Amino acid sequence: MVRKIIHIDQEKCNGCGACASACHEGAIAMVEGKAQLLRDDYCDGLGDCLPACPTGAITFTQREAAPYDEAAVQAHLARKKAEAPLPCGCPGSQSRAIHREESPAPAGPAVSSQLRQWPVQIKLAPVNAPYFDGAHLLIAADCTAYAYGNFHQDFIRGKVVLIGCPKLDEGDYTEKLTQIIRQNDIKSLTIVRMEVPCCGGIQRAATTALQHSGKFIPWQVVTIATDGRVVE
């Protein structure tokens, strides 16, 4: 049958994985760093993935395609949940060794943690909490604290921190972050992300949440390279 179905432009796809997260049917998967439609009968043609794509790589097309099969989708989602595979194909998951010169341990007491609240995971954090009142909010990709050695002193100090990974966590952070910013007296927003495409998801969620909140507060984005350098 001829029907409306998505088309993914491989040249425009940047491998962020946002479309795969937005697709409730699991019709899209990341293959060798690019988004691909797994099967025609998994796509319902409603296009939840379109607004999630930051590069405009996804469009609708009319073509011969198998009809949407809800039973097949449910079976596919059940298998996906049972297998719980680790993400692959994204440039951000490529393994690499980082070689550093050995340096003597600093003299004096150990560096103290600057963490001011718990929990820190976006999915677990409450929408309203006393520590959000007048807070300088840090939203960080969870890998950043491992890549950047002085993360506590340079980024967490004096801030309330929320962390997440759009590649590993199911769903989108935008709605939760919108509620947090809208319902609390947030003074500033700092977003710290890694220099990998999939980390664009946390930056996009945070900036979209700020826009949806209707508030005008100072914000900035800091990007960390995989070798620990600040690149932005």
Side-chain angles (χ1 to χ4, degrees), residues 171-179 201 204-210 212:
D172 183 27
Y173 304 128
T174 304
E175 183 177 351
K176 178 76 169 286
L177 293 176
T178 299
Q179 293 178 35
R204 183 171 55 257
T207 54
T208 302
L210 180 57
H212 288 177

Side-chain angles (χ1 to χ4, degrees), residues 1 19 35 39 73 80 95 109 169 175 178 183-184 194 224-225 229:
M1 63 180 293
C19 58
R39 282 177 29 176
V73 167
K80 190 175 177 182
S95 62
D169 293 338
E175 183 177 351
T178 299
Q183 297 183 29
N184 296 280
M194 295 298 296
I224 309 294
R229 293 175 296 109

Side-chain angles (χ1 to χ4, degrees), residues 180-192:
I180 290 173
I181 297 172
R182 180 184 291 155
Q183 297 183 29
N184 296 280
D185 181 24
I186 304 296
K187 296 300 186 184
S188 70
L189 172 63
T190 300
I191 304 157
V192 184

Side-chain angles (χ1 to χ4, degrees), residues 53-132:
C53 179
T55 64
I58 305 177
T59 56
F60 277 128
T61 186
Q62 290 276 353
R63 65 170 175 83
E64 187 72 30
Y68 173 64
D69 187 338
E70 185 174 358
V73 167
Q74 293 304 317
H76 166 60
L77 293 176
R79 288 193 302 271
K80 190 175 177 182
K81 183 176 181 180
E83 294 168 1
L86 291 174
C88 58
C90 171
S93 65
Q94 294 176 354
S95 62
R96 69 195 72 186
I98 299 173
H99 301 285
R100 308 182 190 276
E101 293 183 4
E102 291 293 331
S103 58
V111 176
S112 299
S113 171
Q114 296 295 317
L115 190 63
R116 302 175 63 186
Q117 99 291 337
W118 188 268
V120 296
Q121 223 285 342
I122 296 172
K123 296 285 187 178
L124 301 178
V127 171
N128 298 105
Y131 50 73
F132 282 131

Side-chain angles (χ1 to χ4, degrees), residues 1 6 12 18 31 35 37-38 41 56-57 63 94 104 132 144-145 147 176 205 212 229 231:
M1 63 180 293
I6 65 162
K12 292 182 178 180
V31 180
L37 177 63
L38 292 178
D41 59 344
R63 65 170 175 83
Q94 294 176 354
F132 282 131
T144 56
K176 178 76 169 286
H212 288 177
R229 293 175 296 109
V231 295

